Amino acid sequence: DAGITQSPRHKVTETGTPVTLRCHQTENHRYMYWYRQDPGHGLRLIHYSYGVKDTDKGEVSDGYSVSRSKTEDFLLTLESATSSQTSVYFCAIGLGDNYSGANVLTFGAGSRLTVL
Amino acid sequence: DQQVKQNSPSLSVQEGRISILNCDYTNSMFDYFLWYKKYPAEGPTFLISISSIKDKNEDGRFTVFLNKSAKHLSLHIVPSQPGDSAVYFCAARGSTLGRLYFGRGTQLTVWP
């Protein structure tokens, strides 16, 4: 087991409210990612991290922010949730060396977010 | 603009026969390709991968073929089993810190 825990697994919220999703890993991996999965779009990268306090944007980062203050935790925040952010969110950790980056990603079980 | 494309949203195959899932990509800088399988209400799980310096990689019933000149890869499952029914995602690794670009997925259904 990869040791990835996402919380909450399910959340329903209202438009305009802040939401934070948490990804916790137990294996001290350097690389962590947040993806969203939507019908017809597959998996799209929101943000990723290559170390504590080192993060960067993915292809659909608007409306999202992230923080990584500890190796084991990667937080995804929706400052003001919108209905377009209704989705399933997956956290992933990457296995790889410092030069080549991550090769295989291991995914968490997902967090289903509904914004009404 | 999608850099990894899976043009078949679904595929239906009889048990015991071969399943062939296809994937095309546009970025010639991709250096590593992966296939993931996803069951409902679970996260994607890694299935098989191939480096851009190879043209074939085999793991049991699963074989991935890479045609760099055509920017095309395919996943072959032989023989197909009902437990293989899932969504299959093709992914390609870019040069930046291991980030993966995913296709939209193909729903494989294997019927008895």
Side-chain angles (χ1 to χ4, degrees), chain B residues 90-103:
Chain B
C90 171
R93 187 179 79 167
S95 57
T96 307
L97 297 172
R99 59 180 287 181
L100 297 183
Y101 296 84
F102 284 83

Side-chain angles (χ1 to χ4, degrees), chain A residues 9 31 33 35 37 40-43 45 48 50 57-59 90 100-109, chain B residues 2 32 34 36 38 41-46 49 87 89 93 95-105:
Chain A
R9 294 291 314 280
Y31 301 95
Y33 306 81
Y35 283 85
Q37 185 199 3
H41 289 279
L43 290 158
L45 181 65
Y48 61 102
Y50 42 96
K57 296 179 180 181
E59 55 193 303
F90 290 101
S100 65
N103 287 329
V104 175
L105 300 189
T106 300
F107 285 84
Chain B
Q2 275 226 305
Y32 208 77
L34 307 91
Y36 282 81
K38 186 183 180 305
E42 295 182 9
T45 56
F46 169 71
S49 64
V87 176
F89 290 102
R93 187 179 79 167
S95 57
T96 307
L97 297 172
R99 59 180 287 181
L100 297 183
Y101 296 84
F102 284 83
R104 295 180 177 177

Side-chain angles (χ1 to χ4, degrees), chain B residues 14-77:
Chain B
Q14 187 175 24
E15 181 178 7
R17 298 200 176 245
I18 184 172
S19 296
I20 300 177
L21 295 95
N22 294 304
C23 178
D24 298 293
Y25 62 96
T26 58
N27 189 339
S28 59
M29 298 301 292
F30 288 147
D31 63 350
Y32 208 77
F33 302 89
L34 307 91
W35 285 93
Y36 282 81
K37 179 170 71 173
K38 186 183 180 305
Y39 293 117
E42 295 182 9
T45 56
F46 169 71
L47 187 59
I48 192 170
S49 64
I50 187 168
S51 166
S52 60
I53 63 173
K54 297 188 175 183
D55 55 18
K56 178 182 175 181
N57 187 28
E58 192 171 353
D59 183 2
R61 297 186 296 114
F62 303 92
T63 303
V64 57
F65 295 92
L66 175 62
N67 182 333
K68 285 184 64 178
S69 61
K71 294 191 177 68
H72 177 83
L73 65 155
S74 61
L75 174 68
H76 293 212
I77 306 174

Side-chain angles (χ1 to χ4, degrees), chain A residues 14-26:
Chain A
E14 295 190 348
T15 298
T17 60
V19 176
T20 295
L21 305 179
R22 179 181 184 238
C23 179
H24 178 78
Q25 59 147 327
T26 58

